[in-house]
Amino acid sequence: MKRNIYLDTIPIDEALDRVRSALDREALVGVESVPVHEAAGRVTSHAVYAELSSPTYHSAAMDGIAVKAEATFGARDDKPLELIQGEGYIPVNTGNPLPAGMDAVIMIENVVPREEGRVSIEAPAFPWQHVRRIGEDIVATELLIPQNHVMSAYDVGALLSAGIWDVDCYERLKLHIIPTGDEVLDFETRPKPEPGQVVESNSQIFMSLAKAWGIDAVRVPPVPDKPEALGAAVQQALESDAHVVVIGAGSSAGAKDYSRATMERFGQVLVHGIKAMPGKPSLLTVANAEYGGKLIVGAPGYPVSAVVCFEELLAPLAAWMTRKFAKRRPKVEAELTRRVPSKLGMEEFLRLSIGKVGGKYVATPLGRGAGMITTLTRAQGMARIPANSEGVEAGQTVEAELLVPGAALDRILVAVGSHDNTLDLLADALMGLDHPIRLASTHVGSMGGLMAVKNGSCHMAGTHLFEPDAEDYNFPFTDRYLPGLDVTLVNLAIRHQGLIVAPGNPKDINSVQALAREDVRFLNRQRGAGTRILLDHHLQQAGIHSADVTGYDKEEFTHMAVAVNVLTGAADCGLGIMAAARALKLDFAPLARERYDLLIPTAFLDDPKVQAVLELIRTAEFKAGIMELGGYETTLTGLVMEPGMGLGV
Amino acid sequence: MKRNIYLDTIPIDEALDRVRSALDREALVGVESVPVHEAAGRVTSHAVYAELSSPTYHSAAMDGIAVKAEATFGARDDKPLELIQGEGYIPVNTGNPLPAGMDAVIMIENVVPREEGRVSIEAPAFPWQHVRRIGEDIVATELLIPQNHVMSAYDVGALLSAGIWDVDCYERLKLHIIPTGDEVLDFETRPKPEPGQVVESNSQIFMSLAKAWGIDAVRVPPVPDKPEALGAAVQQALESDAHVVVIGAGSSAGAKDYSRATMERFGQVLVHGIKAMPGKPSLLTVANAEYGGKLIVGAPGYPVSAVVCFEELLAPLAAWMTRKFAKRRPKVEAELTRRVPSKLGMEEFLRLSIGKVGGKYVATPLGRGAGMITTLTRAQGMARIPANSEGVEAGQTVEAELLVPGAALDRILVAVGSHDNTLDLLADALMGLDHPIRLASTHVGSMGGLMAVKNGSCHMAGTHLFEPDAEDYNFPFTDRYLPGLDVTLVNLAIRHQGLIVAPGNPKDINSVQALAREDVRFLNRQRGAGTRILLDHHLQQAGIHSADVTGYDKEEFTHMAVAVNVLTGAADCGLGIMAAARALKLDFAPLARERYDLLIPTAFLDDPKVQAVLELIRTAEFKAGIMELGGYETTLTGLVMEPGMGLGV
C-alpha cells in the first residue's frame, strides 16, 4: 500500500503557460495546401493576396440602360429626354460589362419605353451611377487575408472571387485517444456491465468535444491497467500522425495509475495536478523530440474531471497550437439559490440549472460530484468559484458561462421540489410543443420546493405534504410557511405510495410493522421529503420508533434511487411510488394514496410556460400517459385545488 | 423590355411565418437511428430513457479501505483504532465494488499502515463516505433526454453510461444548391474571367455556411439562364434526397430571372421579396406534395444579399425543420463613427468594423453595396437598422451582432485614414505576433483620418498631408484641426508619388502638364485624400485649372483602385504611389517624395496594441519588407516626428 499519493497542483493558467513555453508548435503542426472551397474554419499560415480584381470590369449593377451621364444632364420631369439605342443608350442587364463610352446605368424602372429603339428618361444620371467599378470589392494584389486568420464562409467567397483556388493552412489538429482501465468495457461491444465494471464513455465525450472544437480525433479500444500495455499504446500513438495523445483515466497517483510513469518514458511531465475541482489529477507532458515533441494529456477518469481537463487544458492548448482563439461561452449573471461553500485554494467549476424566474436569472447548483455526468447534461451553465473564495452565499450573483444557446434559456421552466415520475412525462411532452419548453427540475423534496417558491427561485414546485390533523394536502403547509404569498395549487396526479420490495417479496414485507423487524433493511428518503413525512406518520400510527427501523438514517433523494437499491439488494425495502417499483419490475405493497400537486405562485399563472404546462396536463393524452405508468389516478389532474378537498373532487 | 419589375416585399418575420404555416416538417424531415457515439449535435425525435443505472453498483470513490462506518465511530486523533484486513477493512481502489457488509471508504491518505494485514485510523468514517451509490448519477428507466433535444458531447457520455447504443434522431437537413447564370464560371475549372464573366462563389459561401450550421449540402455545376435547363435542374433536385433546393441568383424580376417562373411549375411561391437590404429579392416556395413538399429557396445573386437570404431566411427555417434553436450571435453596444441614413420601410443589415478604442466599442460602417463580399470579410459585426428608422446619427449607439469571437474584438487595432500598401504589410505582420493583432483599417483619406482621431474613433490614422508654406508634413494640419489634442506622429515610410500609367507609357505622360492634354483621361482620388491635395498643389504650381483636367471629377478611394483603372484602360493615368503601379506591373512617372506618418493620440501610446505596432515597424525585417515593395524609403520609419523636420532626419 505504498504510493505517491500527493499531486503538485498548480493553477490552470500556470499549467497552460508551462506547456506553451515547452512545446514547439511550429515544429509540431505543419502546413498544407487546402482547396479554398473547403477552407472555412481553417487557419492561414501565410498572407493571401488577390489574383483578380472583383469586379474585373466596370459592370452594370442594375437591369436598365447604359448611358453617358453627361448626355443626360438635361432630363427633367417636365422635360423628358429621348435617347436612341446604340447612340444614346444601350440596354444592359445586371452584371453586363459597361459598354465602351458609357459611364452610368439608369434602372429599368426609370426608363419610359417609346417606339422601337427609343426610350425617354425624366431625370439625369450622375457619373458611375449603378455601376460596379473595377476593383470596387477587391483589387488585384491587395491583402485579402493575413496569416493566422480563421477563415469564414465569407472569406471563401472573397477568395474565389479573387481567383484564389488553394490556400496554405495549418494542419487540423489530431488527437489520438487511449482509454484505459481494467474495469472499463468497450461501448462498441454493447456490453452488459457486472458489478465492478463500467461502460467506457469518456473517450466518446472527448471525440464529440473534439468535433465541436474543430479537432480531428481517433480512439483505440481500451487498454488494461498494465504498464507495458499502456506504454505500447502510447508509443504507437506517438508514431501516428496525431499531434496530441490523450490517455483516459489513470492520471492520479493511485496504485493502478500508470499514466505518469508511462509519460516519463517518452517526455517531460510538466504538470501533474491543477488547482481545480473537478479536474485536479490532470497530467500534461511534452514528448521528447524523438517522439515528435507531441503533447501527451493524462485525463482524469471521472467524467466531469475529464471534461474540465479537456475544456480548460486541452482545448486552449489546441487553439494555441492551431492559432485559433479559444472559444468563450456567453455569460449571464444569475442569482444563486443555495449557499455553496468552496475549498480555498481550488478553483471550482459549479454546474448550474439556470432559468429566468420573475425577470431575473436564478441558478440552482447541481451535484458537485466529479463522477456525475448528468450534472453537465442537466446544467444550463457553469460558474467558476475562484481559488481565493470560500464559497458563495445564497442570493449572491454569480457569472455563469452558458452551456446552452442563450435562446434556450428563455424557454426553461424551473421546477424545484418533490420528485415524481410524471415529471419525466411532463418534461418530454413540453419538448414536443410547437414552442418547446425545457423542464429543469431539481429534486429537493416537498419542503425544499416550498422554500424555493418562497425565495422566488422557481416557477413551480411539486409537493405532496400531508397534514393528518387537517386531513388535507399542501394547504396547511403553504399557510404555515408561505404566509402572505399568493399561491395556486394545481393537482398533477393522485398517486399510490407503498413499500417497494424485491420481486416475489421474499421477506414478506407488507406493512409498516415489518420495518421494525431485525432482518429488514429499510432505505429512507431525505429530510423534508413528503414521502418521509408520510413514513413518519405511519410509523407514529403504528407506534414504531425510528430508532427501531434498520436503515432509517440511510437516505436517497428520489423514488427511483430507492427502487434501484432494492433491485440490487442494497436494501430490502423503501417507501416510494408504485411507478418506481413497476419501472424496475419490483413488487409493491400499497400503503397510502396521496395528492401530488404543483405549487405555483399565482403571479406566474400568466407566464406562457406555466400556461403551457396547465394546458398540457389537462389533455386526455397526457392523463392517459400518467395512467400507463401505473399507481396513479387522474381524477384531479389539472384542476385547481381548494383547501379541505383532500383526495375528493 | 417588358417585365414584371416590382416585388411584393414583406418583413422577414412574416416570410418565415408563411413558410412555417405551409410546410409540413413532419412529412419532410424523417427519423433515423443514429449510433450514440456519433449523435452529438443531432436532435432526438423521441424521449430516451436509461437502460442501466450509473453506477450499477455501490462503488468506491477513492483509493483506500472499505469499512463498516459503525465500527469506526470510536476512532480519534489521540485514540487510533486498529483494523484487521478482511474483518475490519478491505483495501479498495477507486471504482471497485464496495465489499459486502461495508458501507464507507476511508481514503488512503488517512490510513496508517501497521504490520501486514493491519492498519489504524485516527477518525471515524460516516456511512456512505467516499462511496458512489447505485444510481447516484443515472437511475435505470429515468428520462435521460426528452424529444427535440440537441445532444451535446456530455449527453453522449450519459447515454453510453446508461447503456444506450442508438438513438432515434431527425435526419440532418440536406441542401441541394443550383448555381445559375450565363455569366458565371465554375470555380472548379479554375477559370480566367473575361469582362462580363465572374467566378461563381456564392454556392461555396452557402456550402460553408451550411457546414457551420450543421447542414449537409451538395452543389451541382452552374446552370445557364435558360428556363428549360433550370427547370430540369430543379426537378432533379426535388427528386434527390435533399430537403431544400436552393437556386443561386435569378431571384429578382429582371429579363433573365427565371427562378420564380421555374418555382411556379413545382409549387406555391409564398414569398417574393423581403423588406430587407441587402437580401430584398429573396424567393421562398414550398413544392407540391408530388415533389415531396420540399422548400425551394431563390437566393439573390449579389453575395451579401445571398448571405442575408441564407442567414435570415434559410437558416432559421432549417433550424425550425430540424427542431434546433436558431443560432444567435453575441452582441455588443458600439458607437457609430459616421451618420448612416437608411431607407424607411426596409430593414438594413449594416456591416461594421468594430474595435475597442479608449474603453468603448466604436463601429465604422463599411460599404453598403450588396455586391461587396469584403464588407463581410472585413466586418467584425453587423447592425440591424429597423424598417421604421431613417438612419442612425454619428455618435449614436447601435447593437452590433458579432461576426468574430468576442475575444478577437479586444485584439483589433483600429486605423482610419489614408491608404498605403505598407498597411497590408503591417496587417499581416501584426497577425504573426505571439498575441496576434488584427488591423482593421478603413480608407477615408488623410483628412478623414484626422477627423477620426479627433472623434476618438480610431487608435491611429495614416496621414501624408503636405503644407507648402511650412514645407512640412502633417503638423500644420494637426495644429489646425486638432488643437488641444496631444498627438504623436510616427513615420511609417517616405514614399514616392507619381503618375501611374499603362505599361510602356503609350501616351507619354511624364509630368503634371500632360494632364491638361485632351487625349489624357485622368482618374482622381477622393476629396480629403492627401494624394489629391498633393495633385492640387502640383496643378497650381504648373498653372493648370482643375476644369482642364479630363476626369478630375472621377474619384477612387485607394492607390490600388486607381492603378486597376489604368490597367484595364478605364483611365490613362492617375496619381498614386509607386508600389501600386509596381504591384500591377504598370509604369510610373515620379512626381514627389512625401512622408507617410501614423498619427496617434499620445494617450494611446501605452496601449499594448499600439506599442506592438511601434516595436514591429522598427524591426529591420519590417523595413526590408517595405523596401521590397519599391518606391519607399525607410530612413525615418519608426521615428517620432518633430515639427519642421520635413523629409530630413
Side-chain angles (χ1 to χ4, degrees):
Chain A
M1 292 190 66
K2 240 186 158 184
R3 23 184 144 159
N4 170 24
I5 48 179
Y6 297 103
L7 307 179
D8 177 24
T9 59
I10 57 172
I12 287 174
D13 280 346
E14 194 182 327
L16 297 177
D17 277 344
R18 282 193 193 172
V19 174
R20 284 189 291 241
S21 303
L23 189 145
D24 182 354
R25 63 175 178 176
E26 296 292 337
L28 181 56
V29 181
V31 168
E32 63 186 358
S33 178
V34 176
V36 161
H37 65 286
E38 294 168 359
R42 300 295 295 268
V43 183
T44 49
S45 59
H46 301 90
V48 184
Y49 296 89
E51 289 285 336
L52 302 175
S53 295
S54 174
T56 53
Y57 56 95
H58 292 328
S59 151
M62 289 278 182
D63 289 0
I65 58 171
V67 296
K68 198 163 173 56
E70 217 177 58
T72 68
F73 286 169
R76 275 191 206 87
D77 251 16
D78 54 352
K79 203 181 122 192
L81 179 72
E82 196 165 281
L83 299 173
I84 299 172
Q85 186 164 344
E87 297 168 34
Y89 78 93
I90 295 171
V92 286
N93 284 323
T94 306
N96 286 160
L98 199 65
M102 303 301 184
D103 65 0
V105 170
I106 299 174
M107 57 203 279
I108 192 69
E109 288 89 327
N110 298 332
V111 176
V112 183
R114 299 283 171 198
E115 66 219 70
E116 184 64 26
R118 280 162 194 266
V119 298
S120 70
I121 55 172
E122 298 178 349
F126 56 87
W128 303 111
Q129 154 187 308
H130 300 318
V131 175
R132 296 186 62 224
R133 296 162 77 179
I134 299 165
E136 177 187 278
D137 193 7
I138 297 166
V139 176
T141 79
E142 79 169 301
L143 177 73
L144 274 181
I145 296 178
Q147 62 183 310
N148 293 340
H149 172 73
V150 183
M151 281 174 280
S152 67
Y154 314 143
D155 287 324
V156 168
L159 288 164
L160 291 177
S161 299
I164 309 291
W165 320 119
D166 301 292
V167 59
D168 280 350
C169 298
Y170 289 107
E171 293 172 334
R172 284 171 64 93
L173 206 73
K174 190 167 181 183
L175 310 185
H176 183 110
I177 302 171
I178 307 170
T180 71
D182 289 338
E183 78 287 11
V184 302
L185 302 170
D186 189 350
F187 75 95
E188 293 206 320
T189 66
R190 306 190 162 215
K192 289 194 190 307
E194 300 289 321
Q197 297 181 323
V198 293
V199 181
E200 195 283 308
S201 59
N202 286 4
S203 69
Q204 300 313 303
I205 299 178
F206 278 18
M207 295 286 284
S208 305
L209 284 174
K211 204 170 165 189
W213 282 79
I215 300 169
D216 293 329
V218 294
R219 174 254 196 195
V220 295
V223 172
D225 288 324
K226 293 197 182 64
E228 320 76 55
L230 185 57
V234 171
Q235 177 143 11
Q236 197 175 26
L238 290 170
E239 286 164 2
S240 77
D241 62 349
H243 305 96
V244 179
V245 179
V246 182
I247 305 174
S251 67
S252 193
K256 293 172 78 182
D257 291 330
Y258 300 117
S259 293
R260 185 188 175 121
T262 304
M263 288 184 182
E264 282 168 346
R265 281 178 50 192
F266 299 104
Q268 194 198 351
V269 175
L270 300 170
V271 177
H272 194 187
I274 53 171
K275 292 196 187 301
M277 280 170 46
K280 186 170 84 166
S282 294
L283 261 168
L284 296 172
T285 291
V286 171
N288 297 332
E290 59 187 298
Y291 296 109
K294 299 182 180 192
L295 176 64
I296 315 179
V297 177
Y302 281 135
V304 184
S305 302
V307 165
V308 169
C309 175
F310 190 104
E311 295 183 343
E312 301 296 321
L313 298 175
L314 204 168
L317 289 173
W320 170 77
M321 283 189 253
T322 52
R323 282 79 169 172
K324 293 185 182 183
F325 279 101
K327 279 193 212 177
R328 282 195 209 160
R329 298 182 173 122
K331 293 173 182 171
V332 298
E333 305 274 306
E335 197 179 290
L336 211 58
T337 60
R338 279 208 300 270
R339 180 171 177 269
V340 177
S342 181
K343 196 172 166 185
L344 212 56
M346 296 294 269
E347 183 175 15
E348 182 170 350
F349 297 91
L350 190 67
R351 284 83 77 198
L352 300 169
S353 179
I354 304 177
K356 200 174 211 168
V357 179
K360 69 181 180 211
Y361 289 114
V362 295
T364 303
L366 295 165
R368 298 165 79 181
M372 294 167 72
I373 186 69
T374 55
T375 60
L376 280 170
T377 60
R378 295 175 60 211
Q380 283 79 42
M382 176 125 77
R384 294 162 193 260
I385 303 183
N388 64 3
S389 161
E390 289 189 68
V392 186
E393 296 301 318
Q396 278 194 323
T397 293
V398 293
E399 191 178 59
E401 300 174 21
L402 292 185
L403 304 176
V404 299
L409 219 53
D410 296 337
R411 306 294 304 164
I412 303 272
L413 181 82
V414 182
V416 176
S418 168
H419 172 256
D420 187 79
N421 285 29
T422 53
L423 292 178
D424 279 1
L425 216 59
L426 182 62
D428 183 49
L430 285 170
M431 284 297 286
L433 298 175
D434 273 350
H435 296 279
I437 294 167
R438 177 84 198 215
L439 180 69
S441 64
T442 317
H443 307 132
V444 297
S446 294
M447 282 304 298
L450 255 67
M451 291 307 112
V453 166
K454 186 176 183 175
N455 298 331
S457 57
C458 66
H459 293 110
M460 54 177 56
T463 175
H464 58 112
L465 292 163
F466 181 60
E467 166 60 65
D469 297 339
E471 287 196 0
D472 198 12
Y473 293 89
N474 300 322
F475 284 107
F477 291 81
T478 57
D479 289 350
R480 194 180 317 151
Y481 294 105
L482 309 177
L485 191 64
D486 187 3
V487 293
T488 300
L489 283 156
V490 177
N491 180 254
L492 185 58
I494 292 170
R495 62 184 197 175
H496 302 174
Q497 289 256 37
L499 293 165
I500 298 172
V501 295
N505 196 0
K507 291 206 173 169
D508 198 29
I509 302 164
N510 286 303
S511 70
V512 74
Q513 276 80 8
L515 305 191
R517 277 164 40 195
E518 278 211 354
D519 65 324
V520 171
R521 292 164 305 144
F522 182 70
L523 180 62
N524 208 349
R525 289 290 307 282
Q526 85 280 12
R527 277 174 201 80
T531 301
R532 183 167 176 144
I533 293 172
L534 185 72
L535 173 81
D536 289 345
H537 170 61
H538 281 268
L539 288 178
Q540 194 187 9
Q541 286 201 314
I544 300 171
H545 288 284
S546 62
D548 296 331
V549 178
T550 308
Y552 183 89
D553 54 345
K554 294 189 181 171
E555 300 180 348
E556 282 287 2
F557 278 76
T558 67
H559 298 275
M560 288 304 299
V562 168
V564 165
N565 276 274
V566 173
L567 178 70
T568 58
D572 295 319
C573 70
L575 188 58
I577 55 176
M578 183 175 159
R582 201 163 139 167
L584 299 183
K585 301 190 175 69
L586 297 169
D587 272 10
F588 181 77
L591 209 66
R593 294 161 71 227
E594 63 170 7
R595 221 174 69 199
Y596 183 90
D597 293 342
L598 299 175
L599 169 65
I600 307 167
T602 304
F604 291 170
L605 289 180
D606 286 342
D607 186 310
K609 297 187 290 295
V610 174
Q611 285 184 338
V613 169
L614 298 184
E615 268 177 45
L616 184 71
I617 66 176
R618 287 165 183 161
T619 63
E621 192 187 345
F622 187 77
K623 290 181 194 173
I626 294 181
M627 292 309 287
E628 259 178 50
L629 293 174
Y632 289 98
E633 299 162 36
T634 56
T635 45
L636 298 182
T637 300
L639 299 180
V640 174
M641 300 292 97
E642 301 288 342
M645 275 178 70
L647 294 170
V649 234
Chain B
M1 291 190 66
K2 240 186 156 179
R3 23 185 144 160
N4 169 24
I5 48 179
Y6 297 103
L7 307 179
D8 177 23
T9 58
I10 57 173
I12 287 173
D13 280 346
E14 194 182 327
L16 297 177
D17 277 343
R18 282 194 193 171
V19 174
R20 285 189 289 242
S21 302
L23 189 145
D24 181 353
R25 64 176 178 175
E26 296 293 337
L28 180 56
V29 181
V31 168
E32 63 186 358
S33 178
V34 176
V36 161
H37 65 286
E38 294 168 358
R42 300 295 296 267
V43 183
T44 49
S45 59
H46 301 90
V48 183
Y49 295 89
E51 288 285 335
L52 302 174
S53 295
S54 173
T56 53
Y57 56 95
H58 293 326
S59 151
M62 290 278 181
D63 287 1
I65 58 171
V67 296
K68 197 163 175 56
E70 216 176 58
T72 68
F73 288 170
R76 274 191 208 87
D77 251 15
D78 54 352
K79 205 182 117 188
L81 181 71
E82 195 165 284
L83 299 172
I84 300 172
Q85 186 164 343
E87 297 166 34
Y89 78 94
I90 295 170
V92 286
N93 285 324
T94 306
N96 286 160
L98 199 65
M102 303 301 183
D103 64 1
V105 170
I106 299 174
M107 58 204 279
I108 192 68
E109 288 89 326
N110 298 331
V111 176
V112 183
R114 299 286 171 194
E115 66 218 73
E116 184 63 27
R118 279 162 196 265
V119 298
S120 70
I121 54 173
E122 297 180 349
F126 55 86
W128 303 111
Q129 156 186 308
H130 300 320
V131 174
R132 298 185 62 225
R133 296 162 76 179
I134 299 164
E136 177 187 277
D137 193 8
I138 297 166
V139 176
T141 79
E142 79 169 301
L143 178 74
L144 276 181
I145 296 178
Q147 60 184 309
N148 293 339
H149 172 73
V150 182
M151 281 173 280
S152 68
Y154 314 143
D155 287 323
V156 168
L159 288 164
L160 291 177
S161 298
I164 309 291
W165 320 119
D166 301 292
V167 58
D168 281 350
C169 298
Y170 288 108
E171 293 172 335
R172 284 172 64 93
L173 207 72
K174 189 168 182 181
L175 309 185
H176 183 110
I177 302 172
I178 307 170
T180 71
D182 289 338
E183 78 287 11
V184 301
L185 301 171
D186 190 349
F187 75 94
E188 293 206 321
T189 65
R190 306 190 163 214
K192 291 195 190 304
E194 300 289 321
Q197 298 182 320
V198 294
V199 181
E200 195 283 308
S201 59
N202 285 4
S203 69
Q204 299 313 304
I205 300 179
F206 278 17
M207 295 286 284
S208 305
L209 284 174
K211 205 169 163 190
W213 283 79
I215 300 170
D216 293 329
V218 294
R219 174 253 195 197
V220 295
V223 172
D225 289 324
K226 292 197 181 64
E228 320 78 55
L230 185 57
V234 171
Q235 178 144 7
Q236 198 175 27
L238 290 170
E239 286 163 1
S240 78
D241 62 350
H243 306 95
V244 179
V245 179
V246 181
I247 305 174
S251 67
S252 195
K256 293 171 78 181
D257 291 331
Y258 300 117
S259 293
R260 183 186 177 124
T262 304
M263 288 184 183
E264 281 168 346
R265 280 178 51 193
F266 300 104
Q268 194 198 350
V269 175
L270 300 171
V271 177
H272 195 187
I274 53 171
K275 292 195 189 301
M277 277 169 48
K280 186 170 85 166
S282 294
L283 261 168
L284 296 171
T285 291
V286 171
N288 296 333
E290 59 187 297
Y291 296 109
K294 298 182 179 191
L295 176 64
I296 315 179
V297 177
Y302 280 135
V304 185
S305 302
V307 165
V308 169
C309 176
F310 189 104
E311 295 183 343
E312 300 296 322
L313 297 175
L314 204 169
L317 289 172
W320 170 77
M321 283 189 253
T322 52
R323 281 79 170 172
K324 292 185 180 181
F325 278 100
K327 279 193 210 176
R328 283 194 207 161
R329 297 181 174 123
K331 293 174 183 172
V332 297
E333 305 272 306
E335 197 179 289
L336 212 59
T337 60
R338 280 209 299 271
R339 179 171 177 269
V340 177
S342 181
K343 196 171 165 186
L344 211 56
M346 296 295 269
E347 183 175 13
E348 182 169 351
F349 296 91
L350 189 67
R351 284 82 77 199
L352 299 169
S353 178
I354 305 177
K356 200 174 210 167
V357 179
K360 69 181 179 211
Y361 289 114
V362 295
T364 303
L366 295 165
R368 298 165 80 181
M372 295 167 72
I373 186 70
T374 55
T375 59
L376 280 170
T377 59
R378 295 176 59 211
Q380 283 79 42
M382 176 126 76
R384 294 162 193 260
I385 304 184
N388 64 4
S389 161
E390 289 188 67
V392 186
E393 296 301 317
Q396 278 194 323
T397 293
V398 293
E399 191 179 58
E401 299 174 20
L402 292 184
L403 303 176
V404 299
L409 219 52
D410 296 337
R411 306 296 302 165
I412 302 273
L413 182 81
V414 182
V416 177
S418 167
H419 172 256
D420 187 79
N421 285 28
T422 53
L423 292 178
D424 278 2
L425 215 60
L426 182 61
D428 183 49
L430 285 170
M431 283 298 286
L433 298 175
D434 273 351
H435 296 279
I437 294 167
R438 178 83 198 215
L439 181 68
S441 65
T442 318
H443 306 133
V444 298
S446 294
M447 283 303 299
L450 255 67
M451 291 307 113
V453 166
K454 186 175 184 176
N455 298 331
S457 57
C458 66
H459 294 109
M460 54 175 56
T463 176
H464 58 113
L465 292 163
F466 181 59
E467 166 59 67
D469 297 338
E471 288 195 2
D472 198 12
Y473 292 89
N474 300 323
F475 283 107
F477 292 81
T478 58
D479 288 350
R480 194 179 316 150
Y481 295 105
L482 309 177
L485 192 63
D486 187 3
V487 294
T488 300
L489 283 155
V490 177
N491 179 254
L492 186 58
I494 292 170
R495 62 183 197 176
H496 301 174
Q497 289 255 37
L499 293 166
I500 298 173
V501 295
N505 197 0
K507 291 206 173 168
D508 198 28
I509 302 164
N510 286 303
S511 70
V512 74
Q513 276 79 7
L515 306 190
R517 274 163 43 193
E518 278 210 356
D519 66 324
V520 171
R521 292 164 305 146
F522 181 71
L523 179 63
N524 208 349
R525 290 290 307 282
Q526 84 281 12
R527 277 175 201 80
T531 301
R532 183 166 176 146
I533 293 171
L534 185 72
L535 173 81
D536 290 345
H537 171 60
H538 281 267
L539 288 178
Q540 195 188 7
Q541 285 201 314
I544 299 172
H545 286 285
S546 62
D548 296 330
V549 178
T550 309
Y552 183 89
D553 55 344
K554 295 188 181 173
E555 301 180 348
E556 281 287 3
F557 278 76
T558 67
H559 299 274
M560 288 304 300
V562 168
V564 165
N565 275 274
V566 173
L567 178 70
T568 58
D572 295 319
C573 71
L575 188 58
I577 55 174
M578 183 176 159
R582 201 164 139 165
L584 299 182
K585 302 189 174 67
L586 297 169
D587 272 11
F588 182 77
L591 209 65
R593 294 161 72 227
E594 63 170 6
R595 221 174 70 200
Y596 183 90
D597 294 344
L598 300 174
L599 170 65
I600 306 167
T602 304
F604 291 169
L605 289 180
D606 286 342
D607 186 312
K609 297 187 290 293
V610 173
Q611 286 184 337
V613 168
L614 298 184
E615 268 177 43
L616 184 70
I617 66 176
R618 286 164 185 162
T619 62
E621 193 187 345
F622 187 76
K623 290 182 194 171
I626 294 181
M627 293 308 288
E628 260 179 50
L629 293 174
Y632 290 97
E633 299 162 36
T634 56
T635 45
L636 298 181
T637 299
L639 298 181
V640 174
M641 300 292 98
E642 300 289 343
M645 275 178 71
L647 294 171
V649 234

